[in-house]
Every structure is written in structure tokens, then in C-alpha cells.
């Protein structure tokens, strides 16, 4: 008898992530991979040099659980300069191995049996499993197609005595939409006098276009005092494979966060922490990111003029949604599979960011690529 076969799955609805699946399919079919979000260019040379330097200098043992003090101090300075927000490096900033762990640990530190967590669909794929693994229940609000804007009246209606957390994400993966200052103020009104924690996924904070300012939750003191903020060095320094990020929260929340985080990862990569503490001083590197990615977005968007795709506006992130309804009647998954097998180009079906059956004939393409790569993609896409 097969023992494993008799164990009931804890997560019967969860399969392998769409990013893993599509990247594997792209490899198998020799396709251009514009699916999983990662740049095809290198981190800054000075960053790579600094990591090697600190490895060779012997910084190879455990870092403090919450992270190197020097790195946390640089992050506190950056938060103050960018968002006029004060975070105590000692008690309110924790360095973690990537945004996904940060999100999981933040959820695990507050959500328990039957707590409700409101999330917006389409939603990044790690939220629901993290909520459910901790006994919580995901409650779905909608970022309504085609504008993907939140409806705060709907959110208010979904709020109950059991609501423990609301998760927001701006700039938003996969849609490239953003939350405005008005959105934040509506959220503030909604949670006022309620014990609701907010998790703000801001990993694309520096990738926002056309002069629009990122509305970090840190800019809103009434919200910040109840919020976890999650950031990613991988997105900012083209180093997604290094799995490094950080989580900010007021002291009381950080205390809870560290209670569980210390038993998940304990600490993260020491030489990289030294290197990030140095490179954060080169502010032009992150301040220049919006312009660098705006050029790539525009290159991709202009290249699609004359194609049969309809484009959704991408105001932030390094993703562009393309509506293929004039090209095919297939559902998103089927069309994405056909594209990768027959046309040798991989993208992400937006339906993978929904629990319900949703299909608007839209695929997500990653434009964090060199022009050569984008040219190859455009050649294929313009012929469809
Ligand atoms: N965040 C990346 C994306 O949206 C992928 C991360 C992952 O593969 N888990 O494509």
C-alpha cells in the first residue's frame, strides 16, 4: 500500500507556481521567456564586487537574526528620505531572504484560526496559501477589469468582526496598476478604530512611471502604525536569484514577526547584507530605476504598435498586460500554452492570479529585458 497516497493534502487546491511551470515550459520548448518576472541583465558591477569582497574578507557566518545593523540603518535613512517615515533600525526593520518569506512571516505572525484576510484579485500567488497555511480565510475583493482599480465600498462590505488583515500591493503585480493617495485615504478611513493589520507589498516601489509618485503606506502615519511593509533587493538591484529583502513594521508588530521569522530562516546571507549596506549609499541606482524601466516599457509598447494586441496601461512594475481577444478565442492558459509550444514565447496567464474562474483573455509579459530580447519577442508577437 502506498502510505503517501493516503495522506490527505493540506493544500488540495495548490499546484506548482505558474512561474515555475511557465519557465520550465519555456526551457522545454526552447521559447523566449517573458513569463516569470526577472531581468536578463546583471546586478550593478559594484554590488557584485562588494559581495565577493565581503566573502573573501571572511564575512561568512550568521548575521544577527534581524539583520546587520549598518544595513538596517541605511534602510531607515532611505525610508526617511523617500517617504518622510521614521523606522527604528533596531526594533522596526528586519532583513529577510526575499519578499515571499517576508510576506509569509508577516501573515504567520498575526493570522490564526478562522481569521479573515481581505485580498484583491488578481492577487500575487503566494498570499492565499500563506493565509490558509495559518488557518486563515482569504476574502476576495476585486480589482475590476479592465481598469483594475479597487472599490473601497466593496471592501467595506467584506469587512467583518473577523477581519484580521488587509493585503495591498502597489505597484501591482500582475496588472501594473497603482494605488493613489486617495485610495490610501479611503483605506485609512475604513480601518480607523478597527484592529486590522495591513500588509503592504511594495516590492516594485522604485519601478513606477510617467512622474507618478509611489504612495508607500509609510507616507500615511495612521496606516503605517498598523502595517507591515515588504521590500525586495532582488527587484531593485536586478538580483532576484539572491533572494534578499526586508520587512518594516512598528515595534509591537515587528516583535511578533520576529517570534516566527527566527524559526523560519533565523537570518540571511551575511556578505550580501554588507554589500547592500554599501550600495544603498549610491542613491542614483534606485532613483534611476523608474527611468530605466520606463524606457524598456516604452520600447516594448511602441514595438507592439501595429500588432493585434490591445495594451493595458502599465504604470508600474516590469510587467505589461496584453489583451489577445482579436487574435484568439482560447482561454488564457490554453493560449499561453499554445504560444510557448507553437510560437516559442512564454507569458503568464492572468487567470493564475485568481481563485475564481476568471478569463479576460489577457497575458502578462515581463519587459525587464535587454532590447535584443525584446526585439525577438516583438518579432513573434507582431506576426500573430
Ligand atoms: N515575482 C515574480 C513574478 O511575478 C516571480 C517570483 C516567483 O517565481 N515566485 O513573476
Amino acid at each position: 500500500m502506498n502510505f503517501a497516497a493516503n495522506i490527505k493534502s493540506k493544500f488540495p487546491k495548490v499546484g506548482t507556481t505558474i512561474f515555475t511551470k511557465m519557465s520550465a515550459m519555456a526551457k522545454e520548448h526552447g521559447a523566449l521567456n517573458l513569463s516569470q518576472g526577472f531581468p536578463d541583465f546583471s546586478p550593478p558591477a559594484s554590488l557584485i564586487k562588494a559581495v565577493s569582497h565581503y566573502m573573501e574578507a571572511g564575512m561568512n557566518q550568521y548575521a544577527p537574526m534581524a539583520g546587520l545593523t549598518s544595513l538596517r540603518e541605511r534602510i531607515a535613512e532611505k525610508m526617511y528620505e523617500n517617504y518622510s517615515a521614521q523606522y527604528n533600525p533596531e526594533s522596526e526593520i528586519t532583513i529577510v531572504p526575499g519578499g515571499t518569506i517576508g510576506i509569509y512571516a508577516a501573515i504567520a505572525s498575526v493570522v490564526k484560526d478562522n481569521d479573515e484576510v481581505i485580498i484583491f484579485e488578481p492577487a500575487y500567488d503566494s498570499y492565499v496559501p500563506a493565509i490558509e497555511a495559518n488557518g486563515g480565510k482569504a476574502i476576495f475583493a476585486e480589482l475590476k477589469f479592465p481598469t483594475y482599480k479597487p472599490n473601497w465600498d466593496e471592501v467595506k462590505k467584506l469587512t467583518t468582526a473577523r477581519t484580521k488583515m488587509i493585503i495591498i500591493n502597489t505597484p501591482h503585480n500582475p496588472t501594473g496598476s497603482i494605488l493613489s493617495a486617495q485610495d490610501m485615504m479611503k483605506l485609512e478611513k475604513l480601518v480607523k478604530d478597527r484592529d486590522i493589520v495591513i500588509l503592504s507589498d511594495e516590492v516594485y516601489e522604485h519601478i513606477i512611471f510617467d512622474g507618478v509618485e509611489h504612495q508607500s503606506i509609510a507616507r500615511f502615519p495612521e496606516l503605517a502604525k498598523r502595517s507591515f511593509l515588504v521590500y525586495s533587493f532582488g527587484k531593485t538591484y536586478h538580483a532576484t536569484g539572491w533572494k534578499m529583502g526586508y520587512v518594516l513594521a512598528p515595534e509591537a508588530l515587528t516583535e511578533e514577526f520576529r517570534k516566527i521569522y527566527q524559526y523560519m530562516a533565523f537570518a540571511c546571507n551575511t556578505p550580501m547584507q554588507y554589500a547592500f549596506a554599501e550600495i544603498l549609499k549610491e542613491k542614483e541606482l534606485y532613483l534611476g530605476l523608474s527611468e530605466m524601466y520606463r524606457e524598456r516599457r516604452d520600447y516594448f509598447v511602441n514595438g507592439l504598435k501595429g500588432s493585434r494586441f490591445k495594451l493595458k496601461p502599465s504604470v508600474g512594475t516590469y510587467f505589461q498586460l496584453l489583451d489577445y481577444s482579436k487574435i484568439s478565442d482560447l482561454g488564457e492558459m490554453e493560449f499561453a500554452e499554445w504560444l510557448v509550444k507553437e510560437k516559442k514565447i512564454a507569458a503568464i496567464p492572468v487567470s493564475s492570479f485568481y481563485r475564481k474562474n476568471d478569463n479576460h483573455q489577457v497575458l502578462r509579459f515581463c519587459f525587464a529585458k535587454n532590447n535584443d530580447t525584446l526585439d525577438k519577442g516583438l518579432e513573434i508577437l507582431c506576426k500573430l
Side-chain angles (χ1 to χ4, degrees):
M1 192 177 79
N2 185 346
F3 174 68
N6 290 334
I7 298 176
K8 235 173 132 194
S9 170
K10 184 174 170 186
F11 303 109
K13 291 186 205 140
V14 181
T16 305
T17 87
I18 188 68
F19 310 114
T20 304
K21 247 198 226 161
M22 286 313 300
S23 280
M25 273 188 95
K27 207 165 174 191
E28 183 191 339
H29 295 282
L32 189 74
N33 190 1
L34 303 187
S35 64
Q36 192 178 26
F38 61 88
D40 73 347
F41 36 88
S42 294
S46 56
L47 178 61
I48 292 181
K49 228 170 122 185
V51 174
S52 320
H53 165 78
Y54 286 110
M55 278 186 182
E56 278 163 17
M59 307 306 187
N60 297 306
Q61 307 311 326
Y62 294 124
M65 183 267 276
L68 279 189
T69 301
S70 57
L71 176 55
R72 289 188 275 152
E73 284 170 353
R74 291 295 83 69
I75 291 168
E77 282 166 19
K78 178 174 182 281
M79 290 303 290
Y80 187 70
E81 284 168 20
N82 291 344
Y83 307 124
S84 309
Q86 276 178 318
Y87 282 90
N88 181 326
E90 210 39 62
S91 56
E92 300 183 317
I93 300 177
T94 310
I95 314 298
V96 296
T100 302
I101 284 263
I103 289 165
Y104 188 93
I107 292 171
S109 66
V110 297
V111 173
K112 60 178 183 346
D113 306 342
N114 300 319
D115 284 342
E116 293 179 357
V117 180
I118 298 179
I119 67 169
F120 292 90
E121 268 192 335
Y124 188 60
D125 70 339
S126 84
Y127 302 160
V128 176
I131 294 164
E132 293 181 348
N134 289 287
K137 194 169 169 223
I139 305 292
F140 298 95
E142 197 179 359
L143 294 176
K144 217 170 166 46
F145 180 85
T147 58
Y148 299 110
K149 297 262 180 257
N151 173 347
W152 295 106
D153 292 331
E154 184 201 8
V155 180
K156 196 171 173 195
K157 278 188 205 133
L158 294 173
T159 309
T160 72
R162 306 205 78 95
T163 308
K164 191 58 165 274
M165 182 183 252
I166 298 177
I167 303 181
I168 58 170
N169 170 215
T170 183
H172 185 257
N173 180 9
T175 66
S177 66
I178 50 148
L179 294 179
S180 66
Q182 282 86 336
D183 287 319
M184 292 305 194
M185 284 176 308
K186 284 182 187 161
L187 176 59
E188 190 173 307
K189 216 169 134 198
L190 202 139
V191 294
K192 198 170 182 290
D193 303 324
R194 298 285 314 266
D195 295 331
I196 297 176
V197 174
I198 292 166
L199 170 54
S200 187
D201 174 352
E202 302 186 11
V203 298
Y204 298 99
E205 64 172 330
H206 295 302
I207 311 180
I208 182 159
F209 313 124
D210 309 323
V212 175
E213 277 200 328
H214 170 56
Q215 295 300 331
S216 170
I217 208 142
R219 290 182 193 268
F220 302 84
E222 282 301 309
L223 288 171
K225 70 180 190 198
R226 57 172 77 235
S227 298
F228 288 104
L229 289 81
V230 178
Y231 294 102
S232 159
F233 287 119
K235 308 289 183 291
T236 301
Y237 293 102
H238 328 315
T240 60
W242 291 10
K243 297 301 300 173
M244 293 286 286
Y246 51 98
V247 175
L248 277 58
E251 186 165 348
L253 283 178
T254 295
E255 221 175 278
E256 292 304 300
F257 178 91
R258 289 180 187 169
K259 281 184 192 172
I260 187 68
Y261 168 70
Q262 65 185 337
Y263 296 119
M264 290 172 63
F266 177 66
C268 60
N269 198 303
T270 308
M272 285 179 188
Q273 292 194 55
Y274 278 101
F276 282 124
E278 255 178 39
I279 202 150
L280 275 177
K281 292 182 200 150
E282 295 177 47
K283 294 175 191 159
E284 62 290 350
L285 284 176
Y286 58 81
L287 295 176
L289 218 56
S290 282
E291 187 49 21
M292 186 277 272
Y293 276 118
R294 185 200 56 77
E295 276 176 20
R296 287 173 206 270
R297 178 201 61 176
D298 290 351
Y299 190 82
F300 189 57
V301 165
N302 288 332
L304 285 163
K305 285 196 177 131
S307 78
R308 293 199 290 160
F309 287 102
K310 278 191 276 178
L311 280 73
K312 303 275 155 224
S314 169
V315 191
T317 73
Y318 42 51
F319 303 117
Q320 173 68 53
L321 295 191
L322 300 183
D323 172 331
Y324 62 85
S325 55
K326 282 196 193 148
I327 299 171
S328 167
D329 290 332
L330 290 176
E332 290 176 5
M333 197 60 198
E334 294 74 34
F335 188 63
E337 284 177 3
W338 176 80
L339 271 187
V340 74
K341 284 183 196 153
E342 303 297 329
K343 299 293 165 183
K344 309 291 176 210
I345 186 163
I348 300 285
V350 174
S351 53
S352 336
F353 296 81
Y354 290 90
R355 259 291 165 92
K356 64 175 183 221
N357 233 340
D358 214 295
N359 220 315
H360 295 290
Q361 295 186 288
V362 192
L363 298 183
R364 189 197 80 176
F365 290 80
C366 173
F367 56 77
K369 308 291 174 194
N370 284 308
N371 285 359
D372 281 357
T373 311
L374 294 178
D375 283 341
K376 282 185 199 138
L378 289 167
E379 202 189 321
I380 301 172
L381 296 174
C382 286
K383 281 194 202 136
L384 292 171

